[in-house]
Structure formats: structure tokens, C-alpha cells
Amino acid sequence: MAATTTTRSFLQVAATEEVATPLRVVQIEGLVILKIIKHCKDHSPSLVTGQLLGLDVGSVLEVTNCFPFPMREEDEEIEADGANYQLEMMRCLREVNVDNNTVGWYQSTLLGSYQTVELIETFMNYQENIRRCVCIIYDPSRSDQGVLALKALKLSDSFMELYRSNNFTGEKLREKNLSWVDIFEEIPIKVSNSALISAFMTELEPETPVTQCDYDRLQLSTSSLMERNMEFLIECMDDLSLEQQKFQFYYRSLSRQQAQQQAWLQKRRAENMARRTAGEEPLPEEDPANPIFKPLPEPSRLESFLITNQISNYCNQINGVSGQSFNRLYLMKALHED
């Protein structure tokens, strides 16, 4: 009997993929990237968000479509309208046979200032209904310098486990071996286009290989970008200093409480020695009702971790911009000498 080979369909693979394989790459169609860029640039410098739609199969998260969220304000009625808008949009996409499976969201940012508690809370809300989701971050201000500032982020599993317990004390962080670099994981992005679109883009490609993006990279003026990065970096340093002051106040209070406890224990022990000498029962050496024996709550280190992430991000951006500026200046100097 001849051996027959069976080829499983895409739906069969998706249905039998029960084991949670690690997410290796986010595959985005070129049209989706263009939609994200247009939405973020049209409303810049205001920050906008939108929904990502696609398929999650194996180690690849495919993003095949997206749609923007309407601009909303801090109002319950407006937020309810936004939720209704999302549901109605998903229903319309389903009717026209377009992927309507939510795989995350995208949002714009200003010079990489996206690492906030609000982003983490949004991730946790998505995780309640979606096994794996990502957030696509796009920075229009950096893209103006000739760089496609697009990245895909997710929360690390160890951080999500710790966030659910809401215990960011120093002891718990050391136990989990978690540092500020372990909060977010950046997933590589792969841009994918159909063969028909690739052929069409080849026909539209100009004869000259130089593009506008190449001209943007040659701009000598980067002072405004450097100044804004420095301003944000100084603000983050001030915020980090305030967080450190909270911990300094906590440790001073803890040291003061321990000194009060030792003084109280010495006094109680001296009193118990006198009671034993008089033939009386000694008193307990600890009194839970005494305020000095109540443990002081340790401040959460989550905010300081996020601020440290932001500082690292701004430092990397300053380093990259300054390095590219020096290269361009040396190039111009050589051209003038010639």
C-alpha cells in the first residue's frame, strides 16, 4: 500500500497548538505599518492608540490588520462610546471576512516615553482575555530623523507573575532575581507583503535608489532632538531622586522603630527580672498592640524600575543621536577640505 501523506490545514494547526510556545517574532504586513504611521503622524504630538488584528500561531504572531481608536477624554460616557466603537468595528470587519482576532494594540510615543504604569495595566487587562498579546510602539519624532522607530513589546512572564501578587519589595525582587531590565521584552518585527504587493512596489520604485529617508539621515541639525531628550532625562532624574527619598525616609523610620523596639525590650526585661525576684509571673516580651511592633510597609519599587528604564532609553537615544551627528560633521568637514 502506498504511503499517503496528509497535510494539515492552517485551522487544524491552530486548533491543536495547545502548548504555549515562546513568541519569537511579530510578523506585520506592510499595509498595517503604513496605517499605524499615518494615524500617529496625523495626530502628532498628541498620543493615539489603535487595535491590532491578526492570528497567533506557534511562535509567530501575525498582524494582518488594524484600526484606530477615536480620541477620547477622561469621561465615563466617552469611554463607553469607545468600547462600543471597538465592538461595532469588529462586527463590521467580521461581516466583510477580514481578520477580527485581537492580538494587541499599538500606540504612539514621544521620544520613547512609553514605559509607564498605565502601559503595564493595559497589558494585564489584555492578558485576561488574550493568551499572548503585544504592543506596537511608534515614535514619530524619532522617525523624522530617518529612522523607523517601530518596536513590539510584551511583558515578561516573571514580571507578570510578580505584578499579580503586587509585591515589589526588595526581598521579593531578589528572590525572583528580577531587575529593571526584566520588565519588558522586545520582540523582533518582520515586515511581510504578498507577492502581488511586492511586484507592484517594484514597479513603483524610482530609478534612483536614493529615498527621502536617506536625505533625512544627512540632516546636520539635531539640537532640538538632543534638547528634548536632555529635558526628559532631567525630569526622569528628578523623579528618580524623589523615589530614592521615599526609600531613605522608609529606612530612617525602620531604624527609628528598631531602636524603639530595643529600648522597649530592655525595659520589659528589666521589669521581668524584678517580677521574678518578687515571685510574680513575667510579662511577654512582645506586645502586638504596641504601635512600635507594627511592621512598616515598604514602598513599591515598580515606579523606580520604570523610571530607570526611561533613563536608560533616553541615554541610549542621546548616545545614538550624538554619534550620528559626529559622523555627519566629520563627513562635512572632509568634504569642505576637499
Side-chain angles (χ1 to χ4, degrees):
M1 179 182 296
T4 59
T5 59
T6 59
T7 303
R8 293 191 301 171
S9 66
F10 179 82
L11 293 178
Q12 289 173 336
V13 173
T16 57
E17 193 71 23
E18 297 294 340
V19 180
T21 56
L23 185 59
R24 301 296 185 187
V25 64
V26 176
Q27 182 174 306
I28 309 179
E29 292 192 2
L31 182 59
V32 177
I33 294 181
L34 293 178
K35 287 182 178 180
I36 294 174
I37 293 175
K38 184 178 185 305
H39 183 209
C40 296
K41 274 186 168 293
D42 289 346
H43 295 84
S44 182
S46 299
L47 303 182
V48 295
T49 61
Q51 194 82 58
L52 297 177
L53 307 174
L55 298 168
D56 178 13
V57 178
S59 60
V60 179
L61 187 68
E62 298 183 13
V63 181
T64 57
N65 203 349
C66 69
F67 64 87
F69 290 159
M71 298 290 289
R72 64 182 183 182
E73 300 176 358
E74 296 297 329
D75 191 345
E76 293 182 358
E77 294 183 358
I78 297 179
E79 289 185 2
D81 293 340
N84 294 332
Y85 169 81
Q86 297 177 35
L87 295 175
E88 183 65 20
M89 193 70 180
M90 301 282 281
R91 185 186 63 81
C92 294
L93 291 174
R94 184 171 61 251
E95 289 180 354
V96 296
N97 199 23
V98 175
D99 290 335
N100 59 356
N101 182 40
T102 302
V103 294
W105 79 102
Y106 70 85
Q107 68 179 52
S108 60
T109 184
L110 181 61
L111 294 179
S113 55
Y114 57 85
Q115 296 169 343
T116 60
V117 178
E118 289 75 13
L119 179 64
I120 295 175
E121 291 177 349
T122 305
F123 259 116
M124 300 305 295
N125 292 333
Y126 270 85
Q127 286 287 339
E128 293 180 358
N129 301 315
I130 305 173
R131 186 183 63 177
R132 293 191 303 189
C133 66
V134 295
C135 177
I136 303 297
I137 304 291
Y138 178 72
D139 192 342
S141 57
R142 288 196 60 200
S143 297
D144 291 339
Q145 303 299 317
V147 179
L148 182 59
L150 194 75
K151 61 175 62 177
L153 298 176
K154 67 180 289 291
L155 293 179
S156 64
D157 296 335
S158 56
F159 175 80
M160 285 192 295
E161 180 183 354
L162 195 61
Y163 188 83
R164 291 188 181 97
S165 63
N166 196 20
N167 186 2
F168 287 96
T169 61
E171 180 182 357
K172 196 67 176 179
L173 292 172
R174 287 189 294 270
E175 177 186 340
K176 296 291 185 180
N177 194 23
L178 189 72
S179 65
W180 58 272
V181 296
D182 301 322
I183 298 178
F184 295 99
E185 293 181 4
E186 185 172 352
I187 310 299
I189 293 179
K190 177 183 177 182
V191 181
S192 174
N193 288 312
S194 66
L196 185 61
I197 293 179
S198 299
F200 180 67
M201 294 300 296
T202 303
E203 291 292 330
L204 294 179
E205 186 177 355
E207 296 181 0
T208 171
V210 181
T211 62
Q212 182 61 39
C213 195
D214 296 322
Y215 288 118
D216 293 338
R217 293 192 182 97
L218 296 177
Q219 291 183 2
L220 297 178
S221 177
T222 58
S223 58
S224 60
L225 189 63
M226 288 286 292
E227 289 175 1
R228 298 175 74 182
N229 272 290
M230 289 299 297
E231 290 174 359
F232 288 164
L233 179 60
I234 292 172
E235 291 178 2
C236 284
M237 293 300 296
D238 292 338
D239 294 338
L240 185 61
S241 178
L242 293 176
E243 290 295 321
Q244 291 176 344
Q245 291 178 11
K246 293 180 183 178
F247 285 101
Q248 292 173 358
F249 178 77
Y250 164 75
Y251 286 117
R252 285 197 301 266
S253 301
L254 185 63
S255 178
R256 191 182 307 113
Q257 185 189 55
Q258 291 175 350
Q260 293 175 352
Q261 291 175 356
Q262 291 298 325
W264 189 89
L265 287 173
Q266 291 177 2
K267 180 180 178 182
R268 176 56 62 90
R269 287 167 183 170
E271 184 180 355
N272 284 337
M273 289 178 63
R275 291 176 67 89
R276 290 191 186 95
T277 305
E280 299 178 357
E281 288 291 331
L283 299 174
E285 292 189 355
E286 291 188 5
D287 185 9
N290 196 325
I292 64 174
F293 286 101
K294 292 183 178 179
L296 297 176
E298 182 178 345
S300 174
R301 298 177 185 264
L302 175 59
E303 194 67 33
S304 61
F305 274 20
L306 293 175
I307 295 173
T308 306
N309 265 309
Q310 293 282 28
I311 292 174
S312 176
N313 185 36
Y314 293 139
C315 289
N316 291 334
Q317 289 180 170
I318 292 173
N319 186 28
V321 172
S322 58
Q324 294 172 5
S325 299
F326 277 120
N327 292 335
R328 290 193 290 264
L329 289 175
Y330 283 126
L331 176 61
M332 292 303 299
K333 179 181 178 182
L335 292 175
H336 282 296
E337 290 177 351
D338 293 339

